[in-house]
Amino acid sequence: MEPIKVGLLGFGTVGCGTYTVLRRNQEEIKRRAGRGIEIARIAVRDPAKARTALASVDAADAGSVEVTSDFNAVVDDPSIDIVAEMIGGTGIARELVLRAIANRKHVVTANKALLAVHGTEIFEAAHANGVMVAFEAAVAGGIPIIKALREGLTANRIEYIAGIINGTTNYILSEMRDRGLDFATALKAAQALGYAEADPTFDIEGVDAAHKATIMSAIAFGVPVQFDKAYVEGISRLAAIDIRYAEELGYRIKLLGIARRTAKGIELRVHPTLIPAKRLLANVEGAMNAVVVHGDAVGTTLYYGKGAGAEPTASAVVADLVDVTRLHTADPEHRVPHLAFQRDRLSDTPILPIDEVTSGYYLRLRVADVTGVLADITRILAAAGISIDALLQKESEQVDDHGKGETDIILITHETVEKNVNAAISGIEALRTVVSKVTKLRMEALN
Amino acid sequence: MEPIKVGLLGFGTVGCGTYTVLRRNQEEIKRRAGRGIEIARIAVRDPAKARTALASVDAADAGSVEVTSDFNAVVDDPSIDIVAEMIGGTGIARELVLRAIANRKHVVTANKALLAVHGTEIFEAAHANGVMVAFEAAVAGGIPIIKALREGLTANRIEYIAGIINGTTNYILSEMRDRGLDFATALKAAQALGYAEADPTFDIEGVDAAHKATIMSAIAFGVPVQFDKAYVEGISRLAAIDIRYAEELGYRIKLLGIARRTAKGIELRVHPTLIPAKRLLANVEGAMNAVVVHGDAVGTTLYYGKGAGAEPTASAVVADLVDVTRLHTADPEHRVPHLAFQRDRLSDTPILPIDEVTSGYYLRLRVADVTGVLADITRILAAAGISIDALLQKESEQVDDHGKGETDIILITHETVEKNVNAAISGIEALRTVVSKVTKLRMEALN
């Protein structure tokens, strides 16, 4: 049988990784897919550069790949069966993906931003044209987490997902903890090693993780992708001292993407999170990714691996190419739904605003070393219905010549609604004896 | 659309769990599958007992399920679309599965023994009749590891799989380490808690793990299932002292199922294994399961969850039912192959005998406390081409009135071929100064 023909849009790290893996493992992949998978055309801004890259991977084969700077020519090419979009972003990538779908081509993409923001439009177009849109590479790189959620755990009412789904921030947090660095120094080290980009905003501010959490929330709960409803908080304001205090209390701080089902609606949020140090997830270090999925039947499961990099991401892209090759002849009404649930059976369960989220909280504040300050604080918390799980009071430090002292107090609360905590924090900050703002971090037990 | 109709063979723990999960999550499952999934008939030795169990799950629905003691009646029923085999073993289960396939029914099974031993016959019959045989529940319970290997990692040349795939033995090993128990005491505790069966042979002697490793080896490497070629060693002869010495050296002992690709062939083996304590896999405790899969593109990935129990196993069974419901209309030649590779493209790569396996080794022996004994031992190892990675010599214990002492020596070797180690052990045991047999355990770095 003729190989299935793939047109590649973009030829950066992931595009080149995809070509590399397809060439190196072509025999093994063909034995699995039942048919060869061939990159027939590549559209890229700088064809000369792409040709050099191709030749460096497989000089003998490179000549058979046509390289063009005309993206539409690939998307419109009647001989192309699958378009693999590797451009990224929500601009030209969206236009080309929709055009490929209109041309009745299957699409494989690693573009989390595109799907988190325009997923509904794209999946509707795919349905109208009877084609598949596969996107395993969009979340957690080489870890087959989309497949696990969409197909492996279909028996379950999913209760929550909590994932380390951004390698850059996990690397920075690991360095801050291991080497006692502050955020800015750890970021520079990550940039020097290529773990963080020159403009790291999307990673460190949690946007990338929120794109991925948004996609997972749709698959887990059968709701549309709603990136605009996600709460997004990164690690750039995280202080080294909170990592140390958390450690003393038996916790690690990780940037988690969380999607949780509650009676009131769905929580969808990304923020630095204290988790018990003994959890497997707490021990995922460096640039590695891991996702915990809790289902009512299966209980807690965890999926771990490399979340980025040329070949780990290519592993997911090629798995999608194999899936499409294996299943493209199936009746379009009898395929695995893009977002796990049948498109006409989505739920309108609301995504909760962050004020309505339930969590445990870590609160750090600095107080004047005066009798009664702790009583004032605990009274305010009790009045807001917040109970205290643990308290850490550091030794007093003398701050002026009159012998007056100041001290850090760290409080761990039981689970409560965020708006109650915020109200209590306002009350605490108004106390004359409290000399700092209150630092608030959320906690997850991950039971 | 009419629900798809399932006939259940057997109604023990997993069968009842499957019914429970299907009833509880029926709406959510239907939204995913696009069609209801209904257990229409159950065949079981004791129908009265099954009816009681059904009624205790869902009194309102239980009456709509027909319960019979005639297994053939279910397998031959033209209204049944999928037969779910929950009997276990390789006797009547094999006959009923083959009969269901001959009747062109899809089959879902949790029966690892059946597939590890008779898989080739069963998958051939399924191909001849154009039906699917799904078996996610056969390996690692609720963890979707079959799907990950068969579909999620298809881009990769799989290098190795190493898994904690038997919860009973992992529970016993965790108790031996945590509480310093010997094997017999830990086994009794596991039996009292229901983690081990009255006759625990299949679990503790590694047979259950070997069934699962055999199935994974076929999917990973594209070879037929060959349980008879697996090397199987359980934990019943494991001494508590080796767990302690391993700990001192920075290792944990786990019963691993290992399938590894080497230049000479495939290693397929189950045995107690030392792994570095800092690996995530080393920290999988109690009855939990986890599988590490290393692919050339994706690197190291890990999958963790409950490997047994009514609902975790049912999670996998129902996921298979959803898969069949979603995809049963597809052209049989364009489905996902049962064992990941196209049936006509399997490889005849040999499974290596244990003598040819490569591993690091932990050797413990007791020696008379005499000058030169260590020199003799290291000379024998060097002559066999075995280099030493670490050595632990315990303090001498006086054993008789003449002041003679004996001491334990623990050696960790670099990787070498097993037959060389066995030859060296024979030489060491022949030394007059060596007063015990040599205890040998294998090690895996899991890099």
Side-chain angles (χ1 to χ4, degrees), chain B residues 295-314:
Chain B
D296 67 341
V298 76
T300 297
T301 60
L302 178 143
Y303 309 83
Y304 166 90
K306 288 192 179 128
E311 292 212 4
T313 310

mmCIF file with all atom_site columns, all heavy atoms in Angstrom, chain B residues 295-314:
data_model
loop_
_atom_site.group_PDB
_atom_site.id
_atom_site.type_symbol
_atom_site.label_atom_id
_atom_site.label_alt_id
_atom_site.label_comp_id
_atom_site.label_asym_id
_atom_site.label_entity_id
_atom_site.label_seq_id
_atom_site.pdbx_PDB_ins_code
_atom_site.Cartn_x
_atom_site.Cartn_y
_atom_site.Cartn_z
_atom_site.occupancy
_atom_site.B_iso_or_equiv
_atom_site.pdbx_formal_charge
_atom_site.auth_seq_id
_atom_site.auth_comp_id
_atom_site.auth_asym_id
_atom_site.auth_atom_id
_atom_site.pdbx_PDB_model_num
ATOM 1   N N   . GLY B 1 295 ? 11.270  4.488  25.810 1.00 0.00 ? 295 GLY B N   1
ATOM 2   C CA  . GLY B 1 295 ? 11.291  4.477  24.345 1.00 0.00 ? 295 GLY B CA  1
ATOM 3   C C   . GLY B 1 295 ? 12.415  5.363  23.833 1.00 0.00 ? 295 GLY B C   1
ATOM 4   O O   . GLY B 1 295 ? 12.846  6.285  24.532 1.00 0.00 ? 295 GLY B O   1
ATOM 5   N N   . ASP B 1 296 ? 12.882  5.086  22.613 1.00 0.00 ? 296 ASP B N   1
ATOM 6   C CA  . ASP B 1 296 ? 14.048  5.847  22.134 1.00 0.00 ? 296 ASP B CA  1
ATOM 7   C C   . ASP B 1 296 ? 13.707  7.316  21.885 1.00 0.00 ? 296 ASP B C   1
ATOM 8   O O   . ASP B 1 296 ? 14.575  8.182  22.032 1.00 0.00 ? 296 ASP B O   1
ATOM 9   C CB  . ASP B 1 296 ? 14.667  5.199  20.889 1.00 0.00 ? 296 ASP B CB  1
ATOM 10  C CG  . ASP B 1 296 ? 13.758  5.259  19.674 1.00 0.00 ? 296 ASP B CG  1
ATOM 11  O OD1 . ASP B 1 296 ? 12.537  5.464  19.827 1.00 0.00 ? 296 ASP B OD1 1
ATOM 12  O OD2 . ASP B 1 296 ? 14.273  5.106  18.545 1.00 0.00 ? 296 ASP B OD2 1
ATOM 13  N N   . ALA B 1 297 ? 12.473  7.624  21.537 1.00 0.00 ? 297 ALA B N   1
ATOM 14  C CA  . ALA B 1 297 ? 12.107  9.027  21.296 1.00 0.00 ? 297 ALA B CA  1
ATOM 15  C C   . ALA B 1 297 ? 11.607  9.694  22.584 1.00 0.00 ? 297 ALA B C   1
ATOM 16  O O   . ALA B 1 297 ? 12.014  10.793 22.937 1.00 0.00 ? 297 ALA B O   1
ATOM 17  C CB  . ALA B 1 297 ? 11.040  9.126  20.206 1.00 0.00 ? 297 ALA B CB  1
ATOM 18  N N   . VAL B 1 298 ? 10.740  9.029  23.296 1.00 0.00 ? 298 VAL B N   1
ATOM 19  C CA  . VAL B 1 298 ? 10.070  9.662  24.439 1.00 0.00 ? 298 VAL B CA  1
ATOM 20  C C   . VAL B 1 298 ? 10.945  9.646  25.692 1.00 0.00 ? 298 VAL B C   1
ATOM 21  O O   . VAL B 1 298 ? 10.738  10.443 26.603 1.00 0.00 ? 298 VAL B O   1
ATOM 22  C CB  . VAL B 1 298 ? 8.709   8.980  24.701 1.00 0.00 ? 298 VAL B CB  1
ATOM 23  C CG1 . VAL B 1 298 ? 8.884   7.624  25.394 1.00 0.00 ? 298 VAL B CG1 1
ATOM 24  C CG2 . VAL B 1 298 ? 7.789   9.883  25.515 1.00 0.00 ? 298 VAL B CG2 1
ATOM 25  N N   . GLY B 1 299 ? 11.930  8.752  25.758 1.00 0.00 ? 299 GLY B N   1
ATOM 26  C CA  . GLY B 1 299 ? 12.721  8.595  26.988 1.00 0.00 ? 299 GLY B CA  1
ATOM 27  C C   . GLY B 1 299 ? 11.949  7.772  28.004 1.00 0.00 ? 299 GLY B C   1
ATOM 28  O O   . GLY B 1 299 ? 11.199  6.869  27.635 1.00 0.00 ? 299 GLY B O   1
ATOM 29  N N   . THR B 1 300 ? 12.127  8.100  29.276 1.00 0.00 ? 300 THR B N   1
ATOM 30  C CA  . THR B 1 300 ? 11.479  7.325  30.341 1.00 0.00 ? 300 THR B CA  1
ATOM 31  C C   . THR B 1 300 ? 10.088  7.880  30.650 1.00 0.00 ? 300 THR B C   1
ATOM 32  O O   . THR B 1 300 ? 9.929   9.069  30.892 1.00 0.00 ? 300 THR B O   1
ATOM 33  C CB  . THR B 1 300 ? 12.330  7.371  31.622 1.00 0.00 ? 300 THR B CB  1
ATOM 34  O OG1 . THR B 1 300 ? 13.592  6.749  31.357 1.00 0.00 ? 300 THR B OG1 1
ATOM 35  C CG2 . THR B 1 300 ? 11.654  6.633  32.760 1.00 0.00 ? 300 THR B CG2 1
ATOM 36  N N   . THR B 1 301 ? 9.096   7.012  30.644 1.00 0.00 ? 301 THR B N   1
ATOM 37  C CA  . THR B 1 301 ? 7.745   7.387  31.074 1.00 0.00 ? 301 THR B CA  1
ATOM 38  C C   . THR B 1 301 ? 7.330   6.415  32.168 1.00 0.00 ? 301 THR B C   1
ATOM 39  O O   . THR B 1 301 ? 7.873   5.313  32.280 1.00 0.00 ? 301 THR B O   1
ATOM 40  C CB  . THR B 1 301 ? 6.719   7.327  29.920 1.00 0.00 ? 301 THR B CB  1
ATOM 41  O OG1 . THR B 1 301 ? 6.668   5.990  29.412 1.00 0.00 ? 301 THR B OG1 1
ATOM 42  C CG2 . THR B 1 301 ? 7.095   8.268  28.800 1.00 0.00 ? 301 THR B CG2 1
ATOM 43  N N   . LEU B 1 302 ? 6.370   6.829  32.992 1.00 0.00 ? 302 LEU B N   1
ATOM 44  C CA  . LEU B 1 302 ? 5.894   5.964  34.077 1.00 0.00 ? 302 LEU B CA  1
ATOM 45  C C   . LEU B 1 302 ? 4.387   6.110  34.227 1.00 0.00 ? 302 LEU B C   1
ATOM 46  O O   . LEU B 1 302 ? 3.842   7.207  34.090 1.00 0.00 ? 302 LEU B O   1
ATOM 47  C CB  . LEU B 1 302 ? 6.609   6.325  35.392 1.00 0.00 ? 302 LEU B CB  1
ATOM 48  C CG  . LEU B 1 302 ? 6.182   5.544  36.645 1.00 0.00 ? 302 LEU B CG  1
ATOM 49  C CD1 . LEU B 1 302 ? 7.388   5.277  37.549 1.00 0.00 ? 302 LEU B CD1 1
ATOM 50  C CD2 . LEU B 1 302 ? 5.135   6.321  37.445 1.00 0.00 ? 302 LEU B CD2 1
ATOM 51  N N   . TYR B 1 303 ? 3.741   4.982  34.541 1.00 0.00 ? 303 TYR B N   1
ATOM 52  C CA  . TYR B 1 303 ? 2.290   4.903  34.661 1.00 0.00 ? 303 TYR B CA  1
ATOM 53  C C   . TYR B 1 303 ? 1.979   4.240  35.993 1.00 0.00 ? 303 TYR B C   1
ATOM 54  O O   . TYR B 1 303 ? 2.484   3.147  36.254 1.00 0.00 ? 303 TYR B O   1
ATOM 55  C CB  . TYR B 1 303 ? 1.718   4.084  33.490 1.00 0.00 ? 303 TYR B CB  1
ATOM 56  C CG  . TYR B 1 303 ? 2.246   4.610  32.179 1.00 0.00 ? 303 TYR B CG  1
ATOM 57  C CD1 . TYR B 1 303 ? 3.492   4.204  31.701 1.00 0.00 ? 303 TYR B CD1 1
ATOM 58  C CD2 . TYR B 1 303 ? 1.558   5.583  31.475 1.00 0.00 ? 303 TYR B CD2 1
ATOM 59  C CE1 . TYR B 1 303 ? 4.014   4.737  30.526 1.00 0.00 ? 303 TYR B CE1 1
ATOM 60  C CE2 . TYR B 1 303 ? 2.070   6.116  30.305 1.00 0.00 ? 303 TYR B CE2 1
ATOM 61  C CZ  . TYR B 1 303 ? 3.295   5.692  29.836 1.00 0.00 ? 303 TYR B CZ  1
ATOM 62  O OH  . TYR B 1 303 ? 3.823   6.232  28.695 1.00 0.00 ? 303 TYR B OH  1
ATOM 63  N N   . TYR B 1 304 ? 1.174   4.895  36.800 1.00 0.00 ? 304 TYR B N   1
ATOM 64  C CA  . TYR B 1 304 ? 0.982   4.490  38.198 1.00 0.00 ? 304 TYR B CA  1
ATOM 65  C C   . TYR B 1 304 ? -0.494  4.425  38.555 1.00 0.00 ? 304 TYR B C   1
ATOM 66  O O   . TYR B 1 304 ? -1.276  5.271  38.100 1.00 0.00 ? 304 TYR B O   1
ATOM 67  C CB  . TYR B 1 304 ? 1.679   5.531  39.076 1.00 0.00 ? 304 TYR B CB  1
ATOM 68  C CG  . TYR B 1 304 ? 1.353   5.523  40.545 1.00 0.00 ? 304 TYR B CG  1
ATOM 69  C CD1 . TYR B 1 304 ? 2.089   4.751  41.431 1.00 0.00 ? 304 TYR B CD1 1
ATOM 70  C CD2 . TYR B 1 304 ? 0.315   6.310  41.054 1.00 0.00 ? 304 TYR B CD2 1
ATOM 71  C CE1 . TYR B 1 304 ? 1.805   4.765  42.799 1.00 0.00 ? 304 TYR B CE1 1
ATOM 72  C CE2 . TYR B 1 304 ? 0.028   6.323  42.416 1.00 0.00 ? 304 TYR B CE2 1
ATOM 73  C CZ  . TYR B 1 304 ? 0.772   5.548  43.278 1.00 0.00 ? 304 TYR B CZ  1
ATOM 74  O OH  . TYR B 1 304 ? 0.498   5.561  44.613 1.00 0.00 ? 304 TYR B OH  1
ATOM 75  N N   . GLY B 1 305 ? -0.877  3.464  39.362 1.00 0.00 ? 305 GLY B N   1
ATOM 76  C CA  . GLY B 1 305 ? -2.259  3.395  39.820 1.00 0.00 ? 305 GLY B CA  1
ATOM 77  C C   . GLY B 1 305 ? -2.537  2.083  40.534 1.00 0.00 ? 305 GLY B C   1
ATOM 78  O O   . GLY B 1 305 ? -1.612  1.318  40.834 1.00 0.00 ? 305 GLY B O   1
ATOM 79  N N   . LYS B 1 306 ? -3.825  1.826  40.784 1.00 0.00 ? 306 LYS B N   1
ATOM 80  C CA  . LYS B 1 306 ? -4.200  0.590  41.451 1.00 0.00 ? 306 LYS B CA  1
ATOM 81  C C   . LYS B 1 306 ? -4.206  -0.547 40.443 1.00 0.00 ? 306 LYS B C   1
ATOM 82  O O   . LYS B 1 306 ? -4.832  -0.437 39.385 1.00 0.00 ? 306 LYS B O   1
ATOM 83  C CB  . LYS B 1 306 ? -5.578  0.734  42.087 1.00 0.00 ? 306 LYS B CB  1
ATOM 84  C CG  . LYS B 1 306 ? -5.556  1.631  43.316 1.00 0.00 ? 306 LYS B CG  1
ATOM 85  C CD  . LYS B 1 306 ? -6.859  1.541  44.101 1.00 0.00 ? 306 LYS B CD  1
ATOM 86  C CE  . LYS B 1 306 ? -6.796  2.426  45.341 1.00 0.00 ? 306 LYS B CE  1
ATOM 87  N NZ  . LYS B 1 306 ? -7.936  3.344  45.438 1.00 0.00 ? 306 LYS B NZ  1
ATOM 88  N N   . GLY B 1 307 ? -3.545  -1.644 40.810 1.00 0.00 ? 307 GLY B N   1
ATOM 89  C CA  . GLY B 1 307 ? -3.416  -2.746 39.875 1.00 0.00 ? 307 GLY B CA  1
ATOM 90  C C   . GLY B 1 307 ? -4.436  -3.847 40.075 1.00 0.00 ? 307 GLY B C   1
ATOM 91  O O   . GLY B 1 307 ? -4.476  -4.807 39.322 1.00 0.00 ? 307 GLY B O   1
ATOM 92  N N   . ALA B 1 308 ? -5.271  -3.702 41.097 1.00 0.00 ? 308 ALA B N   1
ATOM 93  C CA  . ALA B 1 308 ? -6.252  -4.750 41.376 1.00 0.00 ? 308 ALA B CA  1
ATOM 94  C C   . ALA B 1 308 ? -7.432  -4.134 42.110 1.00 0.00 ? 308 ALA B C   1
ATOM 95  O O   . ALA B 1 308 ? -7.475  -2.934 42.348 1.00 0.00 ? 308 ALA B O   1
ATOM 96  C CB  . ALA B 1 308 ? -5.625  -5.858 42.205 1.00 0.00 ? 308 ALA B CB  1
ATOM 97  N N   . GLY B 1 309 ? -8.403  -4.971 42.469 1.00 0.00 ? 309 GLY B N   1
ATOM 98  C CA  . GLY B 1 309 ? -9.585  -4.487 43.165 1.00 0.00 ? 309 GLY B CA  1
ATOM 99  C C   . GLY B 1 309 ? -10.753 -4.384 42.212 1.00 0.00 ? 309 GLY B C   1
ATOM 100 O O   . GLY B 1 309 ? -10.578 -4.263 40.998 1.00 0.00 ? 309 GLY B O   1
ATOM 101 N N   . ALA B 1 310 ? -11.958 -4.432 42.767 1.00 0.00 ? 310 ALA B N   1
ATOM 102 C CA  . ALA B 1 310 ? -13.174 -4.497 41.953 1.00 0.00 ? 310 ALA B CA  1
ATOM 103 C C   . ALA B 1 310 ? -13.266 -3.304 40.995 1.00 0.00 ? 310 ALA B C   1
ATOM 104 O O   . ALA B 1 310 ? -13.332 -3.465 39.773 1.00 0.00 ? 310 ALA B O   1
ATOM 105 C CB  . ALA B 1 310 ? -14.398 -4.547 42.860 1.00 0.00 ? 310 ALA B CB  1
ATOM 106 N N   . GLU B 1 311 ? -13.278 -2.089 41.522 1.00 0.00 ? 311 GLU B N   1
ATOM 107 C CA  . GLU B 1 311 ? -13.545 -0.938 40.649 1.00 0.00 ? 311 GLU B CA  1
ATOM 108 C C   . GLU B 1 311 ? -12.350 -0.514 39.800 1.00 0.00 ? 311 GLU B C   1
ATOM 109 O O   . GLU B 1 311 ? -12.544 -0.127 38.647 1.00 0.00 ? 311 GLU B O   1
ATOM 110 C CB  . GLU B 1 311 ? -14.109 0.215  41.477 1.00 0.00 ? 311 GLU B CB  1
ATOM 111 C CG  . GLU B 1 311 ? -15.501 -0.131 42.005 1.00 0.00 ? 311 GLU B CG  1
ATOM 112 C CD  . GLU B 1 311 ? -16.410 1.078  42.137 1.00 0.00 ? 311 GLU B CD  1
ATOM 113 O OE1 . GLU B 1 311 ? -16.021 2.192  41.747 1.00 0.00 ? 311 GLU B OE1 1
ATOM 114 O OE2 . GLU B 1 311 ? -17.536 0.891  42.631 1.00 0.00 ? 311 GLU B OE2 1
ATOM 115 N N   . PRO B 1 312 ? -11.106 -0.551 40.315 1.00 0.00 ? 312 PRO B N   1
ATOM 116 C CA  . PRO B 1 312 ? -9.985  -0.244 39.409 1.00 0.00 ? 312 PRO B CA  1
ATOM 117 C C   . PRO B 1 312 ? -9.944  -1.193 38.204 1.00 0.00 ? 312 PRO B C   1
ATOM 118 O O   . PRO B 1 312 ? -9.724  -0.762 37.075 1.00 0.00 ? 312 PRO B O   1
ATOM 119 C CB  . PRO B 1 312 ? -8.757  -0.407 40.307 1.00 0.00 ? 312 PRO B CB  1
ATOM 120 C CG  . PRO B 1 312 ? -9.255  -0.083 41.671 1.00 0.00 ? 312 PRO B CG  1
ATOM 121 C CD  . PRO B 1 312 ? -10.650 -0.665 41.716 1.00 0.00 ? 312 PRO B CD  1
ATOM 122 N N   . THR B 1 313 ? -10.180 -2.482 38.444 1.00 0.00 ? 313 THR B N   1
ATOM 123 C CA  . THR B 1 313 ? -10.178 -3.415 37.321 1.00 0.00 ? 313 THR B CA  1
ATOM 124 C C   . THR B 1 313 ? -11.382 -3.156 36.419 1.00 0.00 ? 313 THR B C   1
ATOM 125 O O   . THR B 1 313 ? -11.268 -3.181 35.188 1.00 0.00 ? 313 THR B O   1
ATOM 126 C CB  . THR B 1 313 ? -10.165 -4.872 37.835 1.00 0.00 ? 313 THR B CB  1
ATOM 127 O OG1 . THR B 1 313 ? -9.132  -5.014 38.810 1.00 0.00 ? 313 THR B OG1 1
ATOM 128 C CG2 . THR B 1 313 ? -9.925  -5.850 36.704 1.00 0.00 ? 313 THR B CG2 1
ATOM 129 N N   . ALA B 1 314 ? -12.537 -2.892 37.039 1.00 0.00 ? 314 ALA B N   1
ATOM 130 C CA  . ALA B 1 314 ? -13.731 -2.565 36.252 1.00 0.00 ? 314 ALA B CA  1
ATOM 131 C C   . ALA B 1 314 ? -13.506 -1.327 35.392 1.00 0.00 ? 314 ALA B C   1
ATOM 132 O O   . ALA B 1 314 ? -14.032 -1.215 34.281 1.00 0.00 ? 314 ALA B O   1
ATOM 133 C CB  . ALA B 1 314 ? -14.928 -2.354 37.176 1.00 0.00 ? 314 ALA B CB  1
#
